[in-house]
Amino acid sequence: MPTAAIIGGGVIGSAWASRFLLNGWEVRFHDPAPNFEAVLNKVLDKARRWVPEVYDHLPGEGALTLCASIADAVTGADWVQESTPERLEIKQSVLAEIQKNCAIEAIVASSTSGFTPSELQAGSARPEQILVAHPYNPVYLLPIVEVVPSTVVPEETVQRAEAILNDI
């Protein structure tokens, strides 16, 4: 079973978790907010209600694991989706922590709507691993994601990201 790590909850991160989970992925979820479980459960309940109404065929639901740290969530993940607040210093700090612990071949995507991939990649250990995957909302229903790489992201990585997103 492929594994997605969702870092940062809120409505967008929780909806990403729902999208991956309802498409059969193992999902590891980390959010330090005190109310993250309430938000996640509310979004997941909506997704479980509405996704089967829209899609004719879904695989069996994957497994959800709540993780105490970024390291626990991203270790061994195939896809890491960062959905933290729209503050560049937070995103860069979280991306650095992700890259300390994730596999070199993992795709690291940001849900940002305000920063370019180059801004997110500044100072990162492996800038070629980071791209923007900006979803339309609600993520669990609308199958539209804007994939934005920088010039340092290999075409193979972009194609792999698009294939994964097309699959889910």
Side-chain angles (χ1 to χ4, degrees), residues 42-60:
K42 184 176 181 179
V43 173
L44 190 51
D45 287 346
K46 286 181 184 179
R48 285 180 174 138
R49 164 68 179 99
W50 292 107
V51 169
E53 296 287 327
V54 176
Y55 294 94
D56 293 331
H57 174 72
L58 289 170

Side-chain angles (χ1 to χ4, degrees), residues 22-168:
L22 296 178
N23 278 280
W25 283 57
E26 176 184 348
V27 174
R28 297 187 199 142
F29 189 91
H30 171 73
D31 188 339
N35 68 333
F36 83 90
E37 281 188 83
V39 174
L40 174 62
N41 288 330
K42 184 176 181 179
V43 173
L44 190 51
D45 287 346
K46 286 181 184 179
R48 285 180 174 138
R49 164 68 179 99
W50 292 107
V51 169
E53 296 287 327
V54 176
Y55 294 94
D56 293 331
H57 174 72
L58 289 170
E61 186 171 308
L64 175 64
T65 303
L66 304 180
C67 298
S69 69
I70 290 173
D72 289 343
V74 304
T75 300
D78 303 291
W79 183 281
V80 179
Q81 187 70 40
E82 172 273 317
S83 298
T84 60
E86 284 290 300
R87 292 190 18 223
L88 187 57
E89 66 278 2
I90 291 174
K91 289 189 175 293
Q92 287 173 334
S93 173
V94 167
L95 289 167
E97 184 68 19
I98 288 169
Q99 286 192 313
K100 280 184 205 171
N101 296 284
C102 77
I104 291 171
E105 63 275 3
I107 292 173
V108 178
S110 176
S111 299
T112 188
S113 59
F115 300 111
T116 65
S118 336
E119 289 173 305
L120 297 171
Q121 295 163 341
S124 68
R126 297 181 301 276
E128 68 279 1
Q129 186 177 34
I130 300 170
L131 52 78
V132 170
H134 176 253
Y136 284 65
N137 202 13
V139 180
Y140 53 83
L141 279 183
L142 296 177
I144 304 167
V145 179
E146 176 184 30
V147 176
V148 185
S150 74
T151 58
V152 302
V153 177
E155 183 59 30
E156 177 186 303
T157 302
V158 175
Q159 289 174 0
R160 204 163 43 98
E162 289 174 347
I164 288 169
L165 292 169
N166 282 330
D167 191 51
I168 66 160

